[in-house]
């Protein structure tokens, strides 16, 4: 959910995909890969973490990007 984020906070981004076979989940910030897995946690957040984040689900049938979420710190 949206809300004020201040330096030092912790933020958790969650991505789910209902697919068969199960999808591999990757996280991107501004198009750059940052993590793998359904949950992406950032602790002790700083202004360096500001930007747009998206998750991508991939399986043998294709891939799908999520809508973006923008963090402003």
């Amino acid at each position: 959910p949206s809300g004020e984020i201040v330096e030092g906070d912790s933020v958790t981004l969650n991505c789910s995909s209902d697919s068969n076979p199960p999808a591999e989940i990757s996280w991107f910030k501004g198009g750059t890969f940052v993590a793998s897995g359904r949950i992406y946690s950032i602790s002790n957040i700083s202004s360096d973490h500001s930007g747009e984040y998206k998750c991508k689900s991939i399986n043998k049938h294709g891939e799908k990007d999520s809508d973006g979420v923008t963090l402003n710190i």
Side-chain angles (χ1 to χ4, degrees):
S2 60
E4 185 178 2
I5 303 169
V6 296
E7 290 202 37
D9 281 353
S10 295
V11 172
T12 300
L13 303 177
N14 198 328
C15 184
S16 62
S17 175
D18 184 14
S19 62
N20 189 10
E24 299 277 335
I25 305 292
S26 298
W27 287 96
F28 295 84
K29 176 189 170 198
T32 301
F33 173 82
V34 292
S36 295
R38 191 174 64 83
I39 297 171
Y40 178 46
S41 294
I42 306 169
S43 57
N44 195 24
I45 205 162
S46 70
S47 59
D48 291 343
H49 295 106
S50 292
E52 185 183 52
Y53 292 80
K54 289 184 180 182
C55 70
K56 178 181 293 228
S57 58
I58 303 171
N59 70 10
K60 68 179 184 179
H61 299 295
E63 60 185 59
K64 178 74 174 175
D65 285 349
S66 69
D67 292 336
V69 60
T70 300
L71 300 183
N72 294 309
I73 294 91

